[in-house]
Amino acid sequence: MHQKSKLGLAALLMTCVIATNVALADPAVPPFYQSVMQMKPEGKLGQIIKKEKVDTPIKNAQAWRIAYISSDLTGKKTISTGLVVAPTGPAPAGGRPLISWSHGTTGNAQNCGPSQVENPAHSLNQYFLTNGNSWTDYGLPSLEQFIKDGYIVVGTDYQGLGGGGRHQYAVAKTNGRDAINAARAAGSMKETNAGKKTVMIGWSQGAGSTAGASSQADYIAQKGTAYDGLDIVGFVAMAIP
């Protein structure tokens, strides 16, 4: 091989190595998630291991980023992150009902969790709509109306989108467990004054999550969680892939 050819091949190989390293590099995430990714997935299912209050433009509402214990399809404990928005003021007798939202595809890297955007506690933004204001989907569906009607709304990011570990994009039952445990996490918060009635809603990837959750009655009924006794009264799976 000519010297010039050898040099050209070496340059090509170096370019591939650099490109591979860039592709595999951990993406930057906000400080909340940086600290969560250093934590161990220890605790009860649905147990909140970190939270921070965030602003919301929704009237008579309060909001938090959360990190909580979940598990994958095999039962291995994981950490998921998400967003909780709840009404302020007195709760009705029996507590407020819960809505657990499962979002559509946003990617599979650690910086792809919808709760990571600067102001996440908004009504749902979908990037492909004419009024979309971000490169990604974030927020919670019909949030203003749900808060007005007295619901607590929680949206999981899914494991692997900010809480460490590998995102199980195509494993609907794992994503469903993240949504179930998100409801447990929101219910466990004293600030939300939650009841047990719960509805699960999902779009696209989230529709798979919702359908995956619907087939796990034993997991939902499991005792010894951070918030036992969820009474899931409906599963709404939209645009299931």
Side-chain angles (χ1 to χ4, degrees):
M1 184 181 290
H2 294 298
Q3 185 66 22
K4 187 176 292 185
S5 299
K6 290 180 180 179
L7 291 174
L9 178 59
L12 177 60
L13 291 173
M14 183 60 71
T15 300
C16 291
V17 169
I18 292 171
T20 301
N21 287 340
V22 170
L24 296 177
D26 290 332
V29 296
F32 178 90
Y33 305 88
Q34 292 177 23
S35 63
V36 168
M37 290 170 66
Q38 303 304 313
M39 301 174 77
K40 294 182 179 180
E42 298 174 343
K44 300 177 180 180
L45 293 174
Q47 181 177 331
I48 293 174
I49 58 174
K50 187 177 180 65
K51 68 178 180 180
E52 68 176 11
K53 198 157 188 179
V54 296
D55 292 333
T56 177
I58 306 299
K59 292 182 179 179
N60 303 314
Q62 52 190 335
W64 302 264
R65 288 188 178 95
I66 61 169
Y68 62 94
I69 301 299
S70 188
S71 69
D72 66 16
L73 183 60
T74 70
K76 179 182 177 181
K77 292 284 184 72
T78 59
I79 296 174
S80 293
T81 54
L83 178 71
V84 178
V85 184
T88 56
R96 297 187 173 100
L98 287 153
I99 291 175
S100 183
W101 165 248
S102 293
H103 65 81
T105 301
T106 57
N108 62 6
Q110 293 294 339
N111 64 342
C112 292
S115 73
Q116 293 185 42
V117 302
E118 188 172 348
N119 295 297
H122 283 256
S123 290
L124 183 62
N125 171 88
Q126 292 181 294
Y127 75 93
F128 58 83
L129 298 179
T130 55
N131 62 344
N133 60 12
S134 174
W135 62 271
T136 189
D137 292 356
Y138 71 91
L140 301 166
S142 302
L143 183 57
E144 187 170 5
Q145 187 62 51
F146 281 139
I147 292 297
K148 185 177 179 180
D149 291 342
Y151 287 89
I152 301 156
V153 188
V154 57
T156 180
D157 290 332
Y158 308 129
Q159 183 266 336
L161 303 186
R166 185 181 296 276
H167 177 47
Q168 296 187 17
Y169 176 75
V171 187
K173 286 190 175 181
T174 291
N175 296 169
R177 291 186 173 195
D178 293 334
I180 292 166
N181 290 313
R184 288 170 171 155
S188 74
M189 295 173 62
K190 292 181 178 179
E191 300 96 326
T192 65
N193 293 303
K196 302 294 185 178
K197 297 291 185 184
T198 305
V199 175
M200 304 194 74
I201 305 174
W203 162 264
S204 191
Q205 180 187 354
S209 167
T210 302
S214 73
S215 65
Q216 300 188 74
D218 290 345
Y219 191 82
I220 294 168
Q222 189 170 328
K223 302 296 184 183
T225 72
Y227 195 66
D228 289 350
L230 286 179
D231 180 13
I232 303 184
V233 297
F235 298 88
V236 182
M238 301 178 289
I240 192 166

